Amino acid sequence: MLLVCRFAVTEAEVETFTARARRALELLTAQPRCLSGRLARATDEADRWVLVVEFESVVAYRRALSPFEVREHVIPLLSAALPDEPAAYEILAEATGGAVTDHTSLLAQDAGTVRLGEAAQPRSTPR
C-alpha cells in the first residue's frame, strides 16, 4: 500500500514544511509494517513536493495512523496535501533485480459499479 501526498509549498514555507515532513517520516516509518518513506521535490516546479510512504498492507497503513503522536503530527500535515488527487494506492506490480512480480488487486471486480454493501469477492487475477 502506498500513501502518496502531493504538496504545493512556497519558498517561504520550505523550512517549516520539510521539518514537518521529516517528523512525519520519522513517526510513520517507526510504525510496525511500514516499509519505507520518502520526501521529494519536483525538479521542474520547485514549489511541488511529494511524500511517499510504503506499508505492507492497508491494515498496516490504518494502524500506523492510530497512535496519538502520529495523529497529532502526521494527520495535520496530510490534510495540507493537494485535495484534488488520490492519496492511497495499492501496489499491483513491483520489480527487483529485473524481475517483475504482479499482485492481485484487493478491490472487488465490480467495485466501480456497485453501491456500498453490494461488492463481490476480491479479484482472482491481477489487473
Side-chain angles (χ1 to χ4, degrees):
M1 206 312 303
L2 291 178
L3 171 67
V4 180
C5 294
R6 291 174 172 73
F7 299 88
V9 181
T10 66
E11 197 58 42
E13 299 169 317
V14 167
E15 189 174 330
T16 301
F17 170 76
T18 56
R20 291 177 68 202
R22 287 177 55 82
R23 181 67 178 140
L25 285 170
E26 289 170 357
L27 291 168
L28 289 172
T29 58
Q31 301 304 310
R33 298 176 17 196
C34 180
L35 304 176
S36 67
R38 293 176 184 85
L39 176 66
R41 188 177 202 173
T43 57
D44 51 353
E45 291 187 50
D47 69 331
R48 298 301 170 150
W49 293 72
V50 64
L51 177 74
V52 179
V53 184
E54 183 178 359
F55 299 90
E56 264 184 25
S57 65
V58 173
V59 172
Y61 161 68
R62 290 182 178 158
R63 287 185 178 157
L65 295 179
S66 296
F68 177 77
E69 195 170 20
V70 172
R71 290 186 313 225
E72 180 182 28
H73 295 285
V74 177
I75 302 301
L77 174 69
L78 299 181
S79 69
L82 296 173
D84 58 342
E85 299 185 28
Y89 295 82
E90 63 177 338
I91 298 171
L92 298 178
E94 61 183 320
T96 304
V100 177
T101 302
D102 291 321
H103 298 280
T104 302
S105 175
L106 299 176
L107 297 176
Q109 290 178 332
D110 56 359
T113 61
V114 297
R115 295 185 305 253
L116 183 63
E118 296 178 349
Q121 297 297 316
R123 293 182 187 274
S124 57
T125 59
R127 283 188 189 197

